[in-house]
């Protein structure tokens, strides 16, 4: 059955990844388990797993990065909610047929071994939704 499955992670835009890693290590009382740069997106990300929940912190690595633009407009804070999907291409087709505006026509390679695609916030009450499919 097609559809979005569980929340895979919540993404938070931050100005300074090092400082925010220390902050969230304190808040969640768990260590960041991975730091990864996604060159194509102009972001550096870190991941936390607390119980069943995963969080992603994102810092821009250049001025034209979507994260830099987001922080300029809205400041730091919740940037996106990611849902796991079994078949990203089929979900993208389904959502397009529902009239949703997608930010990319083809799945992109995201952080943490995922294929990803974003639904434009215009199509989701102002929420940026990430679809992600495991690649391993
Ligand atoms: Co994400």
């Amino acid at each position: 059955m097609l559809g979005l499955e569980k929340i895979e992670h919540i993404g938070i835009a931050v100005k300074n990844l090092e400082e925010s890693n220390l902050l969230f290590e304190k808040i969640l009382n768990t260590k960041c388990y991975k730091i990864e740069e996604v060159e194509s997106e102009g972001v550096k990300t870190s991941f936390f797993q607390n119980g069943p929940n995963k969080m992603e912190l994102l810092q821009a690595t250049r001025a034209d990065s979507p994260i830099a633009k987001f922080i300029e407009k809205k400041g730091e804070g919740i940037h996106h909610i990611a849902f796991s999907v079994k078949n990203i291409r089929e979900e993208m087709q389904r959502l397009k047929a529902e009239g949703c505006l997608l930010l990319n026509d083809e799945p992109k390679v995201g952080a943490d071994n995922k294929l990803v695609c974003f639904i434009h916030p215009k199509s989701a009450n102002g929420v940026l939704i990430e679809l992600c499919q495991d690649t391993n």
Side-chain angles (χ1 to χ4, degrees):
M1 247 269 280
L2 287 180
L4 305 195
E5 299 185 335
K6 76 175 185 87
I7 291 180
E8 213 284 328
H9 62 271
I10 292 176
I12 297 177
V14 304
K15 288 181 181 165
N16 183 317
L17 197 66
E18 255 175 61
E19 283 177 13
S20 297
N21 279 344
L22 293 174
L23 177 64
F24 276 86
E25 283 181 359
K26 280 187 214 157
I27 292 171
L28 301 171
N29 199 25
T30 189
K31 293 268 175 216
C32 151
Y33 70 85
K34 185 191 234 182
I35 294 181
E36 190 179 343
E37 191 165 337
V38 185
E39 176 85 51
S40 57
E41 296 297 304
V43 295
K44 199 169 169 190
T45 62
S46 64
F47 289 95
F48 292 84
Q49 186 79 43
N50 60 314
N53 306 303
K54 188 168 132 188
M55 291 178 66
E56 172 184 33
L57 304 184
L58 306 106
Q59 181 208 288
T61 54
R62 46 173 202 259
D64 65 348
S65 154
I67 294 300
K69 288 179 188 160
F70 177 89
I71 288 177
E72 223 170 83
K73 264 206 241 167
K74 301 196 173 173
E76 293 179 298
I78 293 180
H79 175 258
H80 64 269
I81 299 177
F83 290 86
S84 53
V85 297
K86 285 212 175 73
N87 186 324
I88 196 163
R89 286 173 198 279
E90 286 183 17
E91 285 305 330
M92 288 167 69
Q93 276 186 353
R94 181 184 69 83
L95 290 163
K96 271 191 215 166
E98 293 288 0
C100 287
L101 182 60
L102 302 179
L103 289 186
N104 39 302
D105 287 329
E106 282 294 312
K108 293 200 225 182
V109 178
D112 216 17
N113 310 310
K114 308 283 186 201
L115 280 177
V116 306
C117 174
F118 289 90
I119 302 175
H120 196 291
K122 270 192 222 163
S123 290
N125 281 169
V127 179
L128 178 62
I129 293 179
E130 176 183 350
L131 312 178
C132 56
Q133 182 193 316
D134 263 317
T135 54
N136 44 10

